[in-house]
Amino acid sequence: MTAEPDEHPVNGLDDVVHQRVRLGILTVAHQARRVEFGFLRSALGLTSGNLSQHLAVLEKAGLIHVEKGYEGKRARTWLSLTPAGARALQDEVTQLKRLIRQIEQGSSAPKS
């Protein structure tokens, strides 16, 4: 998802990735390599239901892998980034950097 040189950077942002909670999920998963549901819920300040909905969107898009299992007798859910998820996160960061550069250079708004 690379933008054309004359295309505005905001057009290269991915709606699935860019949503605040999903961007947070992908970022934490990237940093942790494998993250447990409860940790992620606490880290992002979400309810279980809200987190589950966002994970379903990311899993359907092929950006995360969800693994269910047990730790002792307690059911646990872990998630990790897929290669597509890592690429999508990197693409999003690249587009955000382009947008920031454009703003810092003062060329984001047309001159009157």
Side-chain angles (χ1 to χ4, degrees), residues 3 8 24 26 30 33-34 59 68 70 77 88 105 107 112:
H8 195 281
L26 294 174
H30 172 74
R33 302 282 185 216
R34 183 175 183 242
E59 186 176 28
K68 296 188 182 271
Y70 288 89
T77 300
Q105 293 170 356
S107 62
S112 314

Side-chain angles (χ1 to χ4, degrees), residues 30-85:
H30 172 74
Q31 293 169 327
R33 302 282 185 216
R34 183 175 183 242
V35 63
E36 197 269 328
F37 183 94
F39 174 84
L40 192 57
R41 184 188 63 228
S42 296
L44 297 177
L46 302 170
T47 64
S48 293
N50 191 260
L51 178 55
S52 292
Q53 289 178 334
H54 287 290
L55 292 178
V57 170
L58 292 170
E59 186 176 28
K60 183 177 179 185
L63 303 181
I64 62 167
H65 171 72
V66 176
E67 175 187 347
K68 296 188 182 271
Y70 288 89
E71 190 172 76
K73 293 184 179 187
R74 300 183 72 168
R76 296 280 188 225
T77 300
W78 295 274
L79 65 109
S80 55
L81 283 182
T82 63

Side-chain angles (χ1 to χ4, degrees), residues 83-104:
R87 281 190 305 277
L89 179 60
Q90 184 57 55
D91 288 348
E92 193 72 10
V93 169
T94 298
Q95 289 304 110
L96 288 169
K97 285 179 180 178
R98 283 187 67 225
L99 184 61
I100 291 166
R101 262 194 317 276
Q102 191 174 44
I103 291 168
E104 289 177 343

